[in-house]
């Protein structure tokens, strides 16, 4: 994970601290003129840099607190309060460094996503039939490629082997790996199963599916509007009040030093520091409940979120199939499962593993198999030691030997695996991708938090999506969506800010395009994790409610700290206006105000303690780890 630099690593902070130390040393040594010159040069430099950024922001319509800081620094130089001016410089640069740490702009860079793109391919040379490893950029349309077990498909293509079983969940959003027959299309970014296969490239790497996903993410990130700093919203009124008090004090006293003395304690450092510190505390607090928030601005958006889009596979569901029911016909359920598992041991289909797993968990003795053959996309035929034949697979595949098969009244999203023994229908196994146990309760809590517009956006079929939606209480469902269509759905949503929760490469563009993208990243880093604003590192969807709670408390603490700083600063301004607060003393008191604001903002570090444990939906060990500050991965 990206680590933000320490604030003292910021060059402007080092310059300010060094200049303050050097100026103080020169003054102690009696070199007052040299000290004044050094301070003037440093203050002038910081004023020029700050003024340049200030003008650029103003041209874009953003009026920030930098205006007041620039006026205060210039005023201290004009009236000869150089030490006070350097203290202002140190507070200003320190606040900016803290803010950059909180925002953590580098978190949205796509370096990791791009580096995970397929880097090489194995080409079968036409002349000598040798398999040669080549950079993926050298693959040409028409090349015959060998894809080994567990490798990422380098480019789009068509299958040349009799079959290929690939995991497309990170690309298409489908919950399970699929078996492709000879001539079927396969997409780059998919992951091959355990069996090698040959394919013919139909596109170069630059024109393949994975490259289009990366481009979509880049475009979505580039289209996002910059976040306005929380403190900047108070800039214009605070600046106006400060200049008014300073101006009146100068007018009534006739002393321009009075103007500078007021502005010294009016510098906006509490405002600049309070929000970043609170947001850093909130980000740390979120990590304690297994949510990595990449930017401080994300917390502010999460605190105001009004709409939530959720992917189905791996978000609302667990992302892997399980056996939910076994129905016996000519055989008992135990016999049906035992025969099915015996045959499925020889299958690479995604349903094979859960079937075998359930049989082993129940302690069943599987009949010995003499031979077995898998028929791509259909099923498996196994010959047992006693000579009887077991056929496991789709209805039409089993119907070839059993004749009529009764229709089953299956709920949407449930798949049936038929089992025939010796030409008779032995039974049926039902498999589904289970809904997360905490999904329904999480959505209920989201609505209590003010997220009233909740919808599902998935690449899965309508019937399966509808069944999951009914189970968790989502009425508005967008099914069979491509990554591009997902982006359009979220962008067209009228309730803002809107968050999107997803998992997999196919969700990366919509996570980047939404106001807040949240990735379910417990099963490992993916393109979704790289393009998201926040990543849930546990298997619990309830963490989404936790981070919204933490965000609201963090923003509340930030605002309280800002207002505390404003109130104290206004009080000091009034004291300075009557001539009772010299500039240097005012600058030092302003540091005390900064400390108070920071201590107030640090309360956000314990924001996770305000999340009721009953809402976490986690096991006792995970809850204990969260309380100790251990992030689960």
């Amino acid at each position: 994970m990206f680590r933000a630099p320490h604030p003292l690593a910021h060059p402007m902070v080092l310059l300010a601290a060094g200049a303050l130390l050097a100026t103080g040393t020169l003054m102690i040594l009696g070199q007052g003129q040299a000290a004044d010159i050094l301070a003037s040069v440093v203050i002038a430099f910081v004023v020029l840099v700050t003024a340049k950024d200030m003008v650029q922001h103003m041209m874009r319509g953003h009026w920030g607190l930098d205006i007041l800081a620039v006026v205060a620094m210039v005023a201290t130089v004009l009236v000869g309060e150089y030490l006070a001016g350097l203290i202002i410089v140190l507070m200003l640069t320190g606040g900016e460094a803290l803010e950059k740490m909180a925002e953590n702009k580098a978190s949205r860079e796509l370096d990791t996503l791009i580096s995970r793109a397929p880097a090489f391919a194995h080409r079968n040379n036409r002349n000598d039939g040798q398999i040669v490893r080549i950079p993926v950029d050298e693959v040409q349309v028409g090349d015959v490629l060998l894809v080994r077990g567990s490798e990422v498909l380098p480019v789009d293509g068509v299958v040349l082997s009799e079959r290929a079983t690939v995991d497309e969940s990170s690309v298409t959003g489908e919950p399970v790996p699929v078996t492709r027959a000879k001539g079927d299309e396969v997409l780059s970014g998919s992951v091959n199963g355990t069996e090698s296969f040959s394919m013919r490239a139909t596109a170069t790497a630059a024109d393949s599916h994975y490259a289009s996903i990366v481009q979509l993410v880049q475009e979505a990130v580039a289209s996002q509007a910059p976040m306005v700093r929380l403190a900047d919203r108070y800039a214009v009124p605070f600046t106006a009040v400060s200049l008014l008090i300073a101006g009146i004090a100068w007018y009534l006293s006739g002393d321009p030093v009075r103007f500078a003395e007021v502005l010294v304690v009016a510098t906006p450092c509490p405002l600049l520091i309070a929000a970043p510190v609170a947001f850093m505390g909130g980000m740390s607090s979120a990590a304690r409940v297994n949510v990595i928030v990449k930017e401080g601005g994300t917390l502010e958006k999460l605190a105001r979120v009004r709409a939530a889009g959720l992917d189905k596979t791996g978000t609302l569901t667990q992302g892997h199939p399980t056996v939910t029911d076994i129905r016996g016909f000519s055989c008992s359920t135990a016999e049906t499962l035992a025969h099915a598992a015996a045959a499925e041991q020889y299958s690479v289909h995604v349903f094979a593993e859960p079937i075998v797993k359930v049989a082993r968990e129940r302690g069943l003795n599987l009949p010995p198999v003499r031979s077995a053959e898998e028929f791509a996309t259909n099923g498996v035929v196994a010959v047992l030691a006693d000579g009887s034949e077991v056929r496991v697979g789709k209805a039409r595949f089993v119907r070839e030997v059993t004749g009529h098969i009764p229709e089953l009244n299956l709920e949407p999203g449930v798949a049936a695996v038929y089992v025939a023994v010796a030409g008779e229908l032995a039974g049926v196994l039902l498999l589904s991708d289970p809904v997360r146990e905490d999904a329904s309760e999480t959505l209920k809590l989201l609505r209590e938090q003010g997220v009233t517009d909740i919808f599902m956006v998935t690449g899965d079929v309508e019937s399966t999506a509808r069944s999951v939606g009914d189970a968790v209480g989502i009425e508005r469902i967008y099914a069979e969506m491509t990554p591009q269509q997902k982006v359009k759905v979220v962008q067209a949503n009228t309730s803002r800010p809107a968050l999107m929760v997803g998992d997999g490469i196919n969700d990366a563009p919509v996570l980047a395009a939404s106001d807040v993208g949240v990735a379910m990243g417990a099963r490992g880093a993916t393109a979704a994790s790289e393009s998201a604003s926040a990543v849930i590192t546990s298997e619990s969807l309830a963490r989404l409610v936790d981070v919204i709670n933490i965000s609201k408390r963090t923003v509340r603490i930030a605002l309280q700290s800002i207002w505390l700083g404003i109130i104290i600063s206004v009080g000091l301004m009034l004291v300075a206006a009557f001539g009772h607060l010299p500039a240097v003393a005012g600058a030092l008191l302003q540091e005390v105000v900064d400390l108070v604001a920071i201590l107030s903002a640090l309360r956000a570090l314990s924001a996770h303690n305000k999340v009721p444990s009953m809402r976490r939906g986690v096991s006792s060990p995970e809850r204990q780890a969260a309380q100790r500050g251990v992030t689960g991965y």
Side-chain angles (χ1 to χ4, degrees), residues 419-545:
V419 183
V421 178
E424 294 187 7
L425 181 63
V428 181
L429 289 81
L430 305 182
L431 296 95
S432 69
D433 183 15
V435 174
R436 291 183 184 272
E437 293 182 358
D438 57 357
S440 181
E441 181 67 14
T442 296
L443 299 185
K444 177 183 176 182
L445 294 172
L446 281 177
R447 293 184 175 97
E448 292 179 1
Q449 291 294 322
V451 186
T452 55
D453 185 9
I454 299 178
F455 54 95
M456 184 195 301
V457 186
T458 177
D460 215 338
V461 296
E462 175 73 25
S463 59
T464 302
R466 181 63 59 184
S467 66
V468 173
D470 292 342
V472 300
I474 297 179
E475 296 182 359
R476 185 154 60 101
I477 296 174
Y478 301 90
E480 301 181 50
M481 295 281 105
T482 64
Q484 296 90 336
Q485 290 172 329
K486 288 184 177 183
V487 171
K488 292 179 180 179
V489 166
V490 172
Q491 289 180 336
N493 197 71
T494 55
S495 299
R496 316 300 289 202
L499 69 83
M500 178 68 195
V501 189
D503 174 42
I505 295 175
N506 65 303
D507 294 319
V510 68
L511 294 183
S514 59
D515 297 320
V516 181
V518 180
M520 299 294 295
R523 285 176 290 169
T526 64
S529 301
E530 298 306 323
S531 61
S533 306
V535 181
I536 297 175
T537 59
S538 74
E539 282 287 357
S540 176
L541 186 61
R543 299 290 81 74
L544 184 62
V545 181

Side-chain angles (χ1 to χ4, degrees), residues 361-425:
E361 288 176 347
R362 297 187 181 185
L364 299 180
N365 293 321
L366 307 186
V369 177
R370 182 190 304 170
S371 62
E373 181 180 3
E374 182 169 17
F375 293 83
T377 74
N378 288 294
V380 181
V381 174
V383 179
L384 304 182
D386 61 6
S388 59
E389 182 185 272
V390 176
R391 182 171 289 218
V392 182
K394 293 181 178 179
R396 66 171 181 268
F397 182 63
V398 175
R399 190 183 297 120
E400 294 175 358
V401 295
T402 63
H404 176 71
I405 289 181
E407 292 187 7
L408 299 177
N409 185 21
L410 301 177
E411 296 182 1
V414 176
V417 176
Y418 293 82
V419 183
V421 178
E424 294 187 7
L425 181 63

Side-chain angles (χ1 to χ4, degrees), residues 563-622:
W563 276 109
L564 180 63
I566 289 176
I567 292 171
I568 297 176
S569 293
V570 170
L572 291 176
M573 278 189 280
L574 294 175
V575 174
F578 287 97
H580 302 305
L581 194 59
V584 174
L588 294 175
L589 278 176
Q590 188 64 35
E591 291 288 4
V592 176
V593 178
D594 293 347
L595 181 61
V596 172
I598 290 173
L599 291 176
S600 175
L602 285 175
R603 291 179 295 144
L605 284 170
S606 60
H608 64 284
N609 292 331
K610 302 298 181 180
V611 177
S613 59
M614 61 176 290
R615 291 189 176 186
R616 293 187 181 176
V618 297
S619 62
S620 295
E622 185 181 350

Side-chain angles (χ1 to χ4, degrees), residues 64-362:
L65 290 161
D66 296 338
I67 300 174
L68 189 57
V70 168
V71 174
M73 287 186 288
V74 171
T76 57
V77 173
L78 292 178
V79 300
E81 296 288 351
Y82 302 107
L83 196 59
L86 284 177
I87 294 175
I88 295 174
V89 169
L90 181 60
M91 290 188 293
L92 178 66
T93 55
E96 290 175 346
L98 285 170
E99 185 177 32
K100 288 185 178 180
M101 287 181 62
E103 290 178 353
N104 200 355
K105 292 295 186 181
S107 64
R108 281 191 176 272
E109 292 180 358
L110 301 175
D111 292 345
T112 307
L113 170 60
I114 295 173
S115 68
R116 286 201 176 97
F120 59 86
H122 293 102
R123 182 170 61 194
N124 191 331
N125 289 337
R126 297 184 179 90
N127 297 330
D128 55 12
Q130 295 294 316
I131 304 298
V132 180
R133 175 168 167 160
I134 62 172
V136 69
D137 293 337
E138 295 182 8
V139 175
Q140 301 295 321
V141 175
D143 283 350
V144 176
L145 307 176
L146 173 67
V147 183
R148 297 173 177 174
S150 302
E151 284 185 348
V152 178
L153 275 62
V155 295
D156 298 346
V158 295
V159 178
L160 297 180
S161 301
E162 290 301 318
R163 68 171 182 269
T165 301
V166 294
D167 182 356
E168 297 180 346
S169 59
S170 61
V171 178
T172 64
E174 290 297 326
V176 295
V178 295
T179 301
R180 300 300 185 191
K182 184 176 182 179
D184 287 348
E185 295 182 355
V186 285
L187 300 174
S188 64
S190 304
V191 180
N192 186 23
T194 58
E195 186 176 350
S196 300
F197 72 93
S198 296
M199 60 174 281
R200 176 176 287 109
T202 58
T204 63
D207 296 329
S208 290
H209 187 78
Y210 194 97
S212 68
I213 293 292
V214 172
Q215 182 180 359
L216 278 171
V217 175
Q218 290 172 326
E219 292 174 352
V221 170
S223 66
Q224 285 190 325
M227 182 71 182
V228 179
R229 295 183 303 184
L230 178 66
D232 281 348
R233 299 174 189 175
Y234 301 86
V236 174
F238 185 76
T239 300
V241 170
S242 301
L243 292 175
L244 180 62
I245 294 175
I248 292 175
W250 183 4
Y251 175 77
L252 295 178
S253 67
D255 184 3
V257 176
R258 194 71 56 85
F259 181 82
E261 290 174 344
V262 172
L263 290 186
V264 164
V265 293
T267 50
C269 296
L271 279 72
L272 290 171
I273 293 175
V277 169
F279 286 143
M280 281 192 292
M283 292 163 67
S284 175
S285 197
R288 291 173 180 262
V289 294
N290 304 109
V291 182
I292 304 302
V293 178
K294 298 181 180 180
E295 297 177 352
T298 298
L299 293 175
E300 187 177 353
K301 293 179 183 177
L302 281 169
R304 299 184 294 110
V305 71
R306 291 294 175 267
L310 297 99
D311 182 39
K312 182 187 73 68
T313 305
T315 300
L316 292 171
T317 67
Q318 297 176 11
H320 50 79
T322 57
V323 177
T324 58
D325 192 16
I326 303 173
R327 301 180 184 180
F329 287 91
S330 64
C331 295
S332 67
T333 56
E335 291 173 331
T336 299
L337 176 59
H339 283 88
E344 292 285 29
Q345 292 178 106
Y346 298 87
S347 173
V348 297
H349 195 275
V350 67
F351 286 165
E353 183 179 351
I355 291 174
V356 174
K357 179 181 178 181
V358 170
R360 288 173 177 169
E361 288 176 347
R362 297 187 181 185

Side-chain angles (χ1 to χ4, degrees), residues 20-64:
L20 184 60
L21 179 62
T23 300
T25 302
L26 289 172
M27 293 178 67
I28 293 174
L29 296 175
Q31 301 295 322
Q33 185 176 4
D36 294 346
I37 293 174
L38 175 61
S40 299
V41 171
V42 173
I43 294 172
F45 174 73
V46 174
V47 166
L48 289 175
V49 173
T50 306
K52 178 183 176 182
D53 294 338
M54 178 186 70
V55 171
Q56 291 176 346
H57 290 157
M58 290 172 63
M59 291 179 66
R60 292 194 296 264
H62 298 157
W63 294 76

